[in-house]
Amino acid sequence: MSENVVHLHKHTDPPTDETAPTVLTVVPDAPAAPIVPLWVRSGRAVKNAATHETTKTAARAIARHSLYTFNGGRIVARRTWDGKTGARYERMIRAAEVAGNLEVAEEWEERLQRFRAARHHRRMDLLHSPVEAAKGAAVGTGMGIGALVALGVVMAINNGDIADVITPLAATISFIATVIRIVQIVWGPALTIGPFLALLALWAVGSKQQAAPAWSMPDNVRSGEGEPITPSIVVKALRDLGVPALRNAIKDMGDAGASMLGPIRIAGCGVEVDVTLPSGVSTIEVQNRRRKLAENLTRHEHEVFITIPVAARTVRLWVADSGALDEPIGPSPLVTDETMTADYTKGRAPWGQDLRGDAAALSLYQRHLLITGLSNQGKTVALRSLALWVALDRSVQFLMGDLKGVGDWAMFDGLATTLIQGPTDEHVIQVIEMVEGAVEEMNRRIQAPPGTVFPALIVLVDEAQVAFMCPAKDEDRRPYGGAKANSRYFMAVRKIHNQGRAVNVLMWQGTQDPTNENLPKLVREGAHTRASLALGTESQARMALGDKAVDGGASPNLLRPGLDQGTLVVASSGIDIPAGQASITVRTHYIDDDAAEAITDRAKALRDGVTTLHAIDRDPDRDPLADIASVVGTAERVRTKDVLSRLGTLNADAYGGWSFIDLKRVLDGTGGEPYKSDGVMVVGRDRLARALANRDGDGSASAAE
């Protein structure tokens, strides 16, 4: 049990009243402050001093300069050894043998033999040099003394003083004595200062070569910010990559690994170098260590790209200048050149720049397209920039479905034949019916006479994953979405992929966060041009681009979400890809909505006017065949363009958005199909009458039965 401790305090102040008694006050004892042992306080002080930034900086400086001196001595010793022996030649021979270049190895062997022969000749000369030196010294001394005596005789004759005969000789002896005296005076301090001067020289060599670990360097040097890429830096980065076979091979090479490197070339906002790996080192071992290689090169991971060129056992490194990839590229030529037009057949869309800074242009001719990536990485803008360029070819037609529905494609109103925008199942169903209508048009084109040339019809669906994931079913219980044999969107896309290219019916899709459910294997592999923005995993990268591209170095999963917006990895035969590579990285131009609106205005000016259908008409009360016959009237034949105009006038809600494709869909199989007359497509009055009569007759017969 604890006891309460109290203190009795006696007031010593003199009382005001002499009779007042002494007052005692009871005060509880205040808790005593804990007493910290002296050794604990000393330890904390030592720890604070040892971890202080000034202490760490001083420790790094001491270690750095000490290692400069030590490693400088190693460098000087190695240089001396290389100069005195054939070690340099032997290393070059081993390097050539490792590289498999026997001709170079033989050349270095011959040089080594010549070096050894010359060294033997010098050593044999040294055996005879003491005798020759003694003879030379004796002869030289005798001749020197004779010359001095002769000079003294001349001086004695001239001055008339016989003592001048030895004056030159005496002066020479006096000079020699002075030199000896100077040496005696200097020799002591030189012995003391000499070692310090030698250490200073070794420090200078080590400092120049930066012969100290990175941790000992000052902060501005350790950061490596903006450090240029040199052969020695590349070799060191490869040596420290953690591949034992590579490290040992570089160690055995006479040139310290320089023979592995090709020329370092400036390539856009960085440099490019081919590295021939030694035997026993696989290219995949280097590819799998991209982050470590980037850090060894004092770069961030996204600033180093590793690809596989044509040459065997070779990796191609592209290393960006520090921070260069964070800078935006210039505006699109579509924005800066208001006179630009497009040629779908022979032209290329200006899409952006590759990492070398060269223009990246994509051919769209007869190529299905797939662009994927994570959400909010620039997929729609990248896809839209291609559509904006090809829209400047007046012959190209569009069927568009935007299943996001926020207005990204609104500027194509009046340019696309069909433009459906919205994310609901009803919008999805209309988009799927639009794609199925394109399949019917494709089949019509396929049945045309051989040699018939058709204008390009681009069926574009943005946010296609919404269509694949749609749970709705039609009246026959066929699912609109999914990836089964009865899935309507899946089968329509597959049909266009299989046969559409030959008749210029092309499928363009944009989708996000690909999986096997929202982007089936057969659909993604049916695209000729596959491009991917930043993705989350390597498996998604393989879905987006294919195994070949990823195995060849394509890594959209290593792009930085949010920071590399608009940067695409592209696998396509329609873009110039360096030989041996399976993909190329493109930084696309950003075209905002206002600029896109201006470009579509130019595209609309090239056309006669396109009425855009915003929904597939399903009005059961109208009879399209009878309406077509009514607008043809009594004329023998009417151009299809005029028929469409009259239908729009008859009922704008039902026919205002019709195109030639819709007209053909209604007339195909009735006997009233459009045909050519005088080089233009027309609809015939008599054919329509027979089609109506046959249809009505079939209906009457069915009713009678």
Side-chain angles (χ1 to χ4, degrees), residues 118-134:
R119 183 180 60 183
H120 176 72
H121 182 70
R122 290 193 302 270
R123 288 176 177 176
M124 294 303 295
D125 289 341
L126 288 176
L127 295 177
H128 303 286
S129 60
V131 177
E132 298 295 334

Side-chain angles (χ1 to χ4, degrees), residues 109 121 137 372 393 489 547 581 592:
E109 179 68 26
H121 182 70
T372 187
D393 184 336
Y489 183 70
D547 291 337
Q581 295 181 203
D592 59 26

Side-chain angles (χ1 to χ4, degrees), residues 370-417:
L370 172 65
I371 299 180
T372 187
L374 297 178
S375 177
N376 195 33
Q377 298 304 308
K379 168 182 54 64
T380 297
V381 173
L383 181 61
R384 189 175 67 183
S385 65
L386 297 177
L388 290 171
W389 176 80
V390 78
L392 295 175
D393 184 336
R394 60 178 300 171
S395 67
V396 176
Q397 303 171 2
F398 293 98
L399 299 176
M400 290 185 169
D402 174 16
L403 296 180
K404 184 188 297 181
V406 296
D408 290 333
W409 298 88
M411 66 285 301
F412 282 85
D413 190 0
L415 191 59
T417 304

Side-chain angles (χ1 to χ4, degrees), residues 11-53:
H11 293 281
T12 58
D13 293 337
T16 56
D17 188 357
E18 293 182 356
T19 62
T22 302
V23 180
L24 297 178
T25 306
V26 179
V27 180
D29 188 17
I35 299 175
V36 180
L38 179 61
W39 65 269
V40 173
R41 284 178 289 172
S42 301
R44 290 176 180 173
V46 171
K47 180 181 178 181
N48 292 336
T51 57
H52 195 274
E53 187 62 32

Side-chain angles (χ1 to χ4, degrees), residues 53-71:
E53 187 62 32
T54 302
T55 305
K56 292 191 289 185
T57 302
R60 283 201 302 266
I62 294 171
R64 178 171 67 253
H65 293 292
S66 300
L67 290 170
Y68 278 167
T69 305
F70 176 76
N71 291 326

Side-chain angles (χ1 to χ4, degrees), residues 75-349:
I75 294 171
V76 171
R78 182 161 186 170
R79 290 175 180 174
T80 304
W81 178 257
D82 288 344
K84 296 295 183 180
T85 67
R88 185 193 307 272
Y89 300 92
E90 292 172 357
R91 288 200 304 269
M92 298 301 293
I93 292 171
R94 289 196 299 270
E97 290 174 347
V98 170
N101 197 335
L102 298 181
E103 293 181 359
V104 175
E106 292 176 357
E107 180 181 349
W108 281 107
E109 179 68 26
E110 293 177 1
R111 294 184 182 182
L112 176 59
Q113 294 300 330
R114 290 196 298 268
F115 169 79
R116 287 173 174 171
R119 183 180 60 183
H120 176 72
H121 182 70
R122 290 193 302 270
R123 288 176 177 176
M124 294 303 295
D125 289 341
L126 288 176
L127 295 177
H128 303 286
S129 60
V131 177
E132 298 295 334
K135 292 179 179 180
V139 173
T141 302
M143 293 180 63
I145 293 174
L148 292 174
V149 172
L151 179 60
V153 171
V154 173
M155 292 176 61
I157 295 172
N158 182 61
N159 297 331
D161 186 357
I162 191 64
D164 288 341
V165 173
I166 63 171
T167 298
L169 187 59
T172 302
I173 294 172
S174 178
F175 173 75
I176 293 173
T178 303
V179 171
I180 292 173
R181 181 59 179 166
I182 293 173
V183 171
Q184 290 175 341
I185 295 172
V186 174
W187 184 254
L191 290 178
T192 304
I193 299 174
F196 294 100
L197 295 177
L199 291 176
L200 181 61
L202 297 179
W203 176 88
V205 173
S207 176
K208 185 176 181 180
Q209 297 293 326
Q210 295 288 301
W215 59 264
S216 66
M217 295 295 179
D219 292 337
N220 59 336
V221 176
R222 272 186 297 145
S223 66
E225 188 70 22
E227 184 177 5
I229 299 301
T230 62
S232 62
I233 289 177
V234 176
V235 171
K236 288 180 182 178
L238 293 170
R239 183 194 63 195
D240 300 336
L241 202 54
V243 182
L246 180 58
R247 181 180 62 251
N248 294 334
I250 293 174
K251 182 178 179 181
D252 293 337
M253 291 181 182
D255 57 356
S259 59
M260 298 167 46
L261 307 183
I264 296 180
R265 304 176 295 271
I266 295 177
C269 57
V271 296
E272 184 180 74
V273 59
D274 287 351
V275 180
T276 302
L277 301 176
S279 178
V281 181
S282 170
T283 56
I284 194 65
E285 293 181 279
V286 178
Q287 285 182 298
N288 289 341
R289 291 169 171 82
R290 178 187 177 194
R291 173 175 294 181
K292 189 170 185 178
L293 178 61
E295 292 172 350
N296 291 347
L297 293 169
T298 63
R299 294 295 190 273
H300 297 290
E301 184 177 10
H302 72 277
E303 294 176 327
V304 174
F305 289 81
I306 306 172
T307 54
I308 309 299
V310 177
R313 215 172 66 219
T314 302
V315 293
R316 177 168 293 162
L317 307 180
W318 184 85
V319 185
D321 298 335
S322 292
L325 294 184
D326 297 326
E327 299 294 331
I329 63 174
S332 170
L334 290 172
V335 177
T336 58
D337 186 1
E338 296 184 357
T339 64
M340 175 177 284
T341 57
D343 184 347
Y344 159 76
T345 304
K346 299 178 181 179
R348 288 176 176 252

